Short mmCIF file of all heavy atoms in Angstrom, two decimals:
data_model
loop_
_atom_site.label_atom_id
_atom_site.label_comp_id
_atom_site.label_asym_id
_atom_site.label_seq_id
_atom_site.Cartn_x
_atom_site.Cartn_y
_atom_site.Cartn_z
N GLY Z 1 66.77 73.04 62.55
CA GLY Z 1 67.92 73.37 63.44
C GLY Z 1 68.46 74.71 63.04
O GLY Z 1 67.93 75.37 62.17
N GLY Z 2 69.47 75.12 63.70
CA GLY Z 2 70.10 76.41 63.36
C GLY Z 2 69.24 77.59 63.72
O GLY Z 2 68.82 77.85 64.85
N SER Z 3 68.90 78.38 62.69
CA SER Z 3 68.12 79.62 62.91
C SER Z 3 66.70 79.37 63.33
O SER Z 3 66.15 80.24 64.04
CB SER Z 3 68.11 80.42 61.56
OG SER Z 3 69.42 80.85 61.27
N ALA Z 4 66.11 78.24 63.00
CA ALA Z 4 64.69 78.01 63.39
C ALA Z 4 64.50 78.03 64.89
O ALA Z 4 63.67 78.78 65.38
CB ALA Z 4 64.19 76.68 62.77
N PRO Z 5 65.20 77.21 65.65
CA PRO Z 5 64.92 77.24 67.13
C PRO Z 5 65.41 78.56 67.77
O PRO Z 5 64.78 79.03 68.71
CB PRO Z 5 65.70 76.05 67.64
CG PRO Z 5 66.73 75.73 66.63
CD PRO Z 5 66.18 76.17 65.31
N HIS Z 6 66.44 79.13 67.27
CA HIS Z 6 66.95 80.38 67.85
C HIS Z 6 65.99 81.49 67.62
O HIS Z 6 65.69 82.33 68.49
CB HIS Z 6 68.34 80.74 67.26
CG HIS Z 6 69.43 79.79 67.64
ND1 HIS Z 6 69.85 79.57 68.91
CD2 HIS Z 6 70.12 78.97 66.90
CE1 HIS Z 6 70.76 78.65 68.95
NE2 HIS Z 6 70.96 78.26 67.70
N THR Z 7 65.36 81.55 66.43
CA THR Z 7 64.40 82.50 66.13
C THR Z 7 63.07 82.27 66.94
O THR Z 7 62.54 83.21 67.53
CB THR Z 7 64.01 82.52 64.63
OG1 THR Z 7 65.19 82.81 63.91
CG2 THR Z 7 62.88 83.47 64.32
N ALA Z 8 62.68 81.01 67.08
CA ALA Z 8 61.48 80.67 67.79
C ALA Z 8 61.57 81.12 69.28
O ALA Z 8 60.59 81.60 69.82
CB ALA Z 8 61.24 79.20 67.69
N LYS Z 9 62.73 81.00 69.87
CA LYS Z 9 62.94 81.40 71.30
C LYS Z 9 62.67 82.88 71.43
O LYS Z 9 62.07 83.34 72.42
CB LYS Z 9 64.31 81.04 71.79
CG LYS Z 9 64.53 79.57 71.97
CD LYS Z 9 65.87 79.30 72.55
CE LYS Z 9 66.99 79.47 71.57
NZ LYS Z 9 68.30 79.10 72.06
N ARG Z 10 63.05 83.68 70.49
CA ARG Z 10 62.84 85.09 70.52
C ARG Z 10 61.36 85.44 70.19
O ARG Z 10 60.81 86.34 70.82
CB ARG Z 10 63.79 85.81 69.59
CG ARG Z 10 65.23 85.75 70.08
CD ARG Z 10 66.23 85.95 68.97
NE ARG Z 10 67.59 85.93 69.50
CZ ARG Z 10 68.29 84.78 69.64
NH1 ARG Z 10 67.80 83.62 69.38
NH2 ARG Z 10 69.52 84.84 70.11
N VAL Z 11 60.80 84.76 69.26
CA VAL Z 11 59.39 85.01 68.86
C VAL Z 11 58.45 84.69 70.01
O VAL Z 11 57.50 85.48 70.28
CB VAL Z 11 58.99 84.18 67.59
CG1 VAL Z 11 57.52 84.25 67.34
CG2 VAL Z 11 59.77 84.68 66.41
N VAL Z 12 58.63 83.61 70.71
CA VAL Z 12 57.70 83.29 71.84
C VAL Z 12 57.74 84.32 72.93
O VAL Z 12 56.73 84.65 73.57
CB VAL Z 12 57.88 81.85 72.42
CG1 VAL Z 12 57.65 80.81 71.40
CG2 VAL Z 12 59.23 81.73 73.05
N TYR Z 13 58.89 84.94 73.08
CA TYR Z 13 58.98 86.01 74.10
C TYR Z 13 58.32 87.31 73.58
O TYR Z 13 57.53 87.90 74.24
CB TYR Z 13 60.47 86.27 74.44
CG TYR Z 13 60.59 87.44 75.46
CD1 TYR Z 13 60.38 87.24 76.78
CD2 TYR Z 13 60.93 88.70 75.01
CE1 TYR Z 13 60.46 88.27 77.67
CE2 TYR Z 13 61.02 89.71 75.88
CZ TYR Z 13 60.78 89.51 77.22
OH TYR Z 13 60.86 90.56 78.10
N LEU Z 14 58.75 87.70 72.40
CA LEU Z 14 58.25 89.01 71.87
C LEU Z 14 56.79 89.01 71.59
O LEU Z 14 56.13 90.05 71.55
CB LEU Z 14 59.02 89.37 70.59
CG LEU Z 14 60.52 89.70 70.79
CD1 LEU Z 14 61.21 89.84 69.47
CD2 LEU Z 14 60.67 90.92 71.63
N SER Z 15 56.19 87.80 71.40
CA SER Z 15 54.73 87.74 71.15
C SER Z 15 53.93 88.07 72.38
O SER Z 15 52.77 88.46 72.22
CB SER Z 15 54.38 86.28 70.68
OG SER Z 15 55.04 86.03 69.46
N LYS Z 16 54.48 87.89 73.54
CA LYS Z 16 53.71 88.05 74.75
C LYS Z 16 54.23 89.18 75.64
O LYS Z 16 53.60 89.54 76.63
CB LYS Z 16 53.72 86.78 75.62
CG LYS Z 16 53.00 85.62 75.00
CD LYS Z 16 51.52 85.77 74.93
CE LYS Z 16 50.91 85.55 76.26
NZ LYS Z 16 49.48 85.62 76.27
N SER Z 17 55.36 89.76 75.35
CA SER Z 17 55.95 90.74 76.19
C SER Z 17 56.18 92.06 75.40
O SER Z 17 56.47 92.02 74.24
CB SER Z 17 57.30 90.27 76.71
OG SER Z 17 57.14 89.12 77.50
N PRO Z 18 56.05 93.20 76.08
CA PRO Z 18 56.29 94.47 75.41
C PRO Z 18 57.74 94.62 75.12
O PRO Z 18 58.58 93.99 75.74
CB PRO Z 18 55.75 95.50 76.40
CG PRO Z 18 55.92 94.84 77.72
CD PRO Z 18 55.69 93.37 77.51
N GLY Z 19 58.01 95.50 74.22
CA GLY Z 19 59.38 95.79 73.93
C GLY Z 19 59.81 95.25 72.56
O GLY Z 19 59.05 94.71 71.84
N TRP Z 20 61.08 95.41 72.30
CA TRP Z 20 61.64 95.07 71.03
C TRP Z 20 62.84 94.17 71.26
O TRP Z 20 63.37 94.11 72.34
CB TRP Z 20 62.03 96.34 70.25
CG TRP Z 20 62.51 96.09 68.89
CD1 TRP Z 20 63.71 96.43 68.38
CD2 TRP Z 20 61.82 95.48 67.78
NE1 TRP Z 20 63.84 96.05 67.05
CE2 TRP Z 20 62.71 95.43 66.69
CE3 TRP Z 20 60.57 94.90 67.64
CZ2 TRP Z 20 62.32 94.96 65.42
CZ3 TRP Z 20 60.21 94.36 66.40
CH2 TRP Z 20 61.11 94.38 65.32
N LEU Z 21 63.27 93.46 70.22
CA LEU Z 21 64.38 92.50 70.35
C LEU Z 21 65.61 93.14 70.96
O LEU Z 21 66.24 92.53 71.85
CB LEU Z 21 64.68 91.98 68.96
CG LEU Z 21 65.70 90.82 68.87
CD1 LEU Z 21 65.22 89.62 69.71
CD2 LEU Z 21 65.92 90.42 67.43
N ASP Z 22 65.96 94.32 70.59
CA ASP Z 22 67.19 94.96 71.15
C ASP Z 22 67.06 95.21 72.63
O ASP Z 22 68.05 95.39 73.31
CB ASP Z 22 67.46 96.32 70.42
CG ASP Z 22 67.79 96.07 68.96
OD1 ASP Z 22 68.20 94.97 68.61
OD2 ASP Z 22 67.68 96.99 68.17
N ASP Z 23 65.82 95.28 73.17
CA ASP Z 23 65.63 95.52 74.60
C ASP Z 23 65.99 94.32 75.47
O ASP Z 23 66.12 94.51 76.68
CB ASP Z 23 64.18 95.85 74.89
CG ASP Z 23 63.75 97.13 74.17
OD1 ASP Z 23 64.60 98.00 73.81
OD2 ASP Z 23 62.54 97.27 73.90
N ILE Z 24 66.12 93.12 74.89
CA ILE Z 24 66.36 91.95 75.71
C ILE Z 24 67.72 91.39 75.55
O ILE Z 24 68.02 90.30 76.05
CB ILE Z 24 65.26 90.89 75.43
CG1 ILE Z 24 65.29 90.41 73.98
CG2 ILE Z 24 63.90 91.37 75.88
CD1 ILE Z 24 64.44 89.16 73.76
N TYR Z 25 68.63 91.98 74.78
CA TYR Z 25 70.00 91.47 74.65
C TYR Z 25 70.73 91.77 75.95
O TYR Z 25 70.89 92.92 76.31
CB TYR Z 25 70.71 92.08 73.46
CG TYR Z 25 70.32 91.41 72.13
CD1 TYR Z 25 69.76 92.14 71.13
CD2 TYR Z 25 70.47 90.05 71.98
CE1 TYR Z 25 69.41 91.52 69.95
CE2 TYR Z 25 70.15 89.42 70.80
CZ TYR Z 25 69.64 90.15 69.80
OH TYR Z 25 69.25 89.55 68.64
N GLY Z 26 71.22 90.75 76.60
CA GLY Z 26 71.92 90.90 77.84
C GLY Z 26 71.44 89.87 78.85
O GLY Z 26 70.49 89.14 78.61
N ILE Z 27 72.10 89.78 79.94
CA ILE Z 27 71.80 88.78 80.98
C ILE Z 27 70.58 89.22 81.78
O ILE Z 27 70.52 90.34 82.26
CB ILE Z 27 73.01 88.55 81.84
CG1 ILE Z 27 74.15 88.03 81.01
CG2 ILE Z 27 72.66 87.58 82.98
CD1 ILE Z 27 75.47 87.92 81.73
N TYR Z 28 69.58 88.32 81.94
CA TYR Z 28 68.42 88.49 82.75
C TYR Z 28 67.51 89.65 82.34
O TYR Z 28 66.79 90.20 83.13
CB TYR Z 28 68.78 88.71 84.24
CG TYR Z 28 69.65 87.56 84.78
CD1 TYR Z 28 70.92 87.83 85.24
CD2 TYR Z 28 69.17 86.28 84.80
CE1 TYR Z 28 71.71 86.81 85.74
CE2 TYR Z 28 69.99 85.23 85.32
CZ TYR Z 28 71.20 85.51 85.75
OH TYR Z 28 72.00 84.51 86.29
N LEU Z 29 67.50 89.98 81.07
CA LEU Z 29 66.68 91.07 80.57
C LEU Z 29 65.34 90.56 80.00
O LEU Z 29 64.37 91.31 79.98
CB LEU Z 29 67.40 91.89 79.52
CG LEU Z 29 68.62 92.63 79.99
CD1 LEU Z 29 69.31 93.42 78.89
CD2 LEU Z 29 68.30 93.57 81.18
N ALA Z 30 65.24 89.33 79.62
CA ALA Z 30 64.02 88.80 79.08
C ALA Z 30 63.27 88.12 80.19
O ALA Z 30 63.36 86.91 80.42
CB ALA Z 30 64.31 87.77 77.97
N THR Z 31 62.50 88.90 80.95
CA THR Z 31 61.80 88.39 82.13
C THR Z 31 60.28 88.37 81.98
O THR Z 31 59.62 88.01 82.92
CB THR Z 31 62.20 89.25 83.36
OG1 THR Z 31 61.82 90.57 83.11
CG2 THR Z 31 63.68 89.13 83.63
N GLY Z 32 59.79 88.74 80.84
CA GLY Z 32 58.33 88.76 80.68
C GLY Z 32 57.73 87.41 80.34
O GLY Z 32 58.38 86.39 80.38
N LYS Z 33 56.48 87.43 79.99
CA LYS Z 33 55.72 86.25 79.68
C LYS Z 33 56.15 85.72 78.29
O LYS Z 33 56.66 86.51 77.45
CB LYS Z 33 54.24 86.51 79.66
CG LYS Z 33 53.70 86.87 81.00
CD LYS Z 33 52.21 87.10 80.92
CE LYS Z 33 51.69 87.43 82.32
NZ LYS Z 33 50.22 87.57 82.37
N ARG Z 34 55.88 84.45 78.05
CA ARG Z 34 56.23 83.83 76.80
C ARG Z 34 55.10 82.88 76.35
O ARG Z 34 54.37 82.39 77.16
CB ARG Z 34 57.52 82.98 76.94
CG ARG Z 34 58.71 83.73 77.28
CD ARG Z 34 59.84 82.78 77.72
NE ARG Z 34 61.10 83.46 77.92
CZ ARG Z 34 61.45 84.11 78.99
NH1 ARG Z 34 60.59 84.26 79.97
NH2 ARG Z 34 62.63 84.75 79.10
N LEU Z 35 55.03 82.62 75.07
CA LEU Z 35 54.16 81.58 74.53
C LEU Z 35 54.84 80.23 74.76
O LEU Z 35 56.05 80.18 74.86
CB LEU Z 35 53.93 81.74 73.04
CG LEU Z 35 53.05 82.89 72.53
CD1 LEU Z 35 53.17 82.97 71.02
CD2 LEU Z 35 51.67 82.71 73.01
N PRO Z 36 54.11 79.14 74.88
CA PRO Z 36 54.69 77.87 74.94
C PRO Z 36 55.47 77.57 73.63
O PRO Z 36 55.03 77.98 72.54
CB PRO Z 36 53.53 76.92 75.07
CG PRO Z 36 52.41 77.76 75.60
CD PRO Z 36 52.65 79.13 75.06
N LEU Z 37 56.57 76.91 73.72
CA LEU Z 37 57.41 76.55 72.56
C LEU Z 37 57.63 75.06 72.48
O LEU Z 37 58.08 74.44 73.44
CB LEU Z 37 58.78 77.27 72.70
CG LEU Z 37 59.80 76.93 71.64
CD1 LEU Z 37 59.34 77.24 70.23
CD2 LEU Z 37 61.12 77.65 71.91
N LEU Z 38 57.27 74.49 71.35
CA LEU Z 38 57.55 73.10 71.05
C LEU Z 38 58.62 73.06 70.01
O LEU Z 38 58.56 73.73 68.97
CB LEU Z 38 56.27 72.44 70.55
CG LEU Z 38 55.08 72.58 71.43
CD1 LEU Z 38 53.79 72.35 70.69
CD2 LEU Z 38 55.18 71.58 72.57
N ARG Z 39 59.67 72.24 70.22
CA ARG Z 39 60.77 72.19 69.26
C ARG Z 39 60.94 70.78 68.70
O ARG Z 39 60.97 69.79 69.46
CB ARG Z 39 62.06 72.61 69.96
CG ARG Z 39 62.04 74.08 70.32
CD ARG Z 39 63.26 74.51 71.05
NE ARG Z 39 64.52 74.00 70.37
CZ ARG Z 39 65.70 74.10 70.94
NH1 ARG Z 39 65.89 74.64 72.12
NH2 ARG Z 39 66.77 73.69 70.27
#
C-alpha cells in the first residue's frame, strides 16, 4: 500500500511512453501506452 501502488502507476506508464515524470504532471497529460499493472 501507500508508495508501492502510486509508484507502480507511474512506472507502467514511463516504461512504455517517451518522456519523463515531470512531463505528465497535470490533467490528461499521460496519454501514452502503458504496461499492464496488477495490484
Side-chain angles (χ1 to χ4, degrees):
S3 295
H6 295 297
T7 299
K9 289 185 286 186
R10 289 159 179 85
V11 168
V12 298
Y13 177 80
L14 292 172
S15 296
K16 294 292 282 185
S17 297
W20 184 241
L21 187 60
D22 295 340
D23 299 334
I24 60 169
Y25 281 121
I27 298 172
Y28 306 118
L29 296 179
T31 59
K33 296 181 179 183
R34 296 166 174 82
L35 289 173
L37 173 60
L38 305 159
R39 292 177 48 189

